[in-house]
Amino acid sequence: SHLEAVNPVVGGQGRAYQDLDQDLQRRETLAILIHGDAAFTGQGVVAETFQMSELPGFAIGGTIHIVVNNQIGFTASPRDLFSTYYCTDLAKMVDAPILHANGDYPEAVMRSMHVATDYRAKFGSDVVIDMVCYRRRGHNEGDEPMYTQPLLYRNIAKHPTVREHYTGLLVRRGMM
């Protein structure tokens, strides 16, 4: 979550490239930020970056925010992490569209990315992709999620991987 401090840095870097290139339309440089679900909603720097994105001196023509929503922030469930329905509801503060994509299906995630880049190109504003997925392993090498989330991780252990899902889809399509 401490890595969210990169948000204003990426925005500033994007703005610097645009200013150097005299890109007054703010179209030539695209900032992309990747967030964790708990950090997206829990780190104030994310909200501050959204607020600044609407100011003329900081505007960069929109950022694409990809939220890796594994539905568990370190060891807490969503109801203990944020007070809104979705972790991405924070983006509503700037009326950014929020696209929800099933992380089990790479084509759905790619389609949401295409929609997000098209929207950003046309309207010059932030877009959020909420990639709903799961974390098969723990938060880090020292975390054993079965201790804190035994029911969830029992289900995850039985759940097919993204590779298995996608391979099955390609086989059903006759592409493999």
Side-chain angles (χ1 to χ4, degrees), residues 10-11 13-19 23-33 50 53-54 58-66 95-99 111-129:
V10 168
Q13 188 175 19
R15 177 63 184 249
Y17 281 124
Q18 292 170 344
D19 289 350
D23 177 19
L24 301 178
Q25 299 300 310
R26 312 282 175 217
R27 300 283 185 237
E28 300 300 317
T29 301
L30 170 61
I32 299 174
L33 289 168
F50 272 118
S53 73
E54 299 292 305
F58 298 94
I60 59 171
T63 298
I64 294 180
H65 301 264
I66 302 169
D95 293 327
I98 302 166
L99 309 170
R111 179 68 182 138
S112 67
M113 193 65 187
H114 287 286
V115 171
T117 54
D118 290 347
Y119 184 92
R120 188 263 183 192
K122 181 166 183 158
F123 298 105
S125 66
D126 288 36
V127 184
V128 176
I129 297 171

Side-chain angles (χ1 to χ4, degrees), residues 28-168:
E28 300 300 317
T29 301
L30 170 61
I32 299 174
L33 289 168
I34 301 174
H35 310 268
D37 55 336
F40 185 81
T41 192
Q43 295 292 308
V45 70
V46 178
E48 292 166 356
T49 303
F50 272 118
Q51 289 285 12
M52 290 175 64
S53 73
E54 299 292 305
L55 300 174
F58 298 94
I60 59 171
T63 298
I64 294 180
H65 301 264
I66 302 169
V67 178
V68 180
N69 183 355
N70 58 36
Q71 306 170 72
I72 181 169
F74 191 51
T75 59
S77 60
R79 71 172 176 253
D80 297 321
L81 291 172
F82 47 88
S83 59
T84 58
Y85 192 74
Y86 294 107
C87 68
T88 50
D89 283 348
L90 175 69
K92 292 178 179 179
M93 71 190 320
V94 294
D95 293 327
I98 302 166
L99 309 170
H100 301 274
N102 185 340
D104 273 340
Y105 297 97
E107 291 177 10
V109 176
M110 285 304 300
R111 179 68 182 138
S112 67
M113 193 65 187
H114 287 286
V115 171
T117 54
D118 290 347
Y119 184 92
R120 188 263 183 192
K122 181 166 183 158
F123 298 105
S125 66
D126 288 36
V127 184
V128 176
I129 297 171
D130 183 358
M131 185 179 68
V132 181
C133 53
Y134 58 90
R135 181 170 49 214
R136 188 164 290 277
R137 312 273 184 256
H139 181 72
N140 58 42
E141 62 280 353
D143 178 35
E144 173 47 69
M146 284 297 287
Y147 291 136
T148 56
Q149 301 291 330
L151 298 177
L152 176 64
Y153 275 87
R154 216 171 290 133
N155 289 333
I156 288 173
K158 295 181 222 167
H159 189 76
T161 65
V162 174
R163 182 181 51 82
E164 292 166 340
H165 268 292
Y166 196 57
T167 301

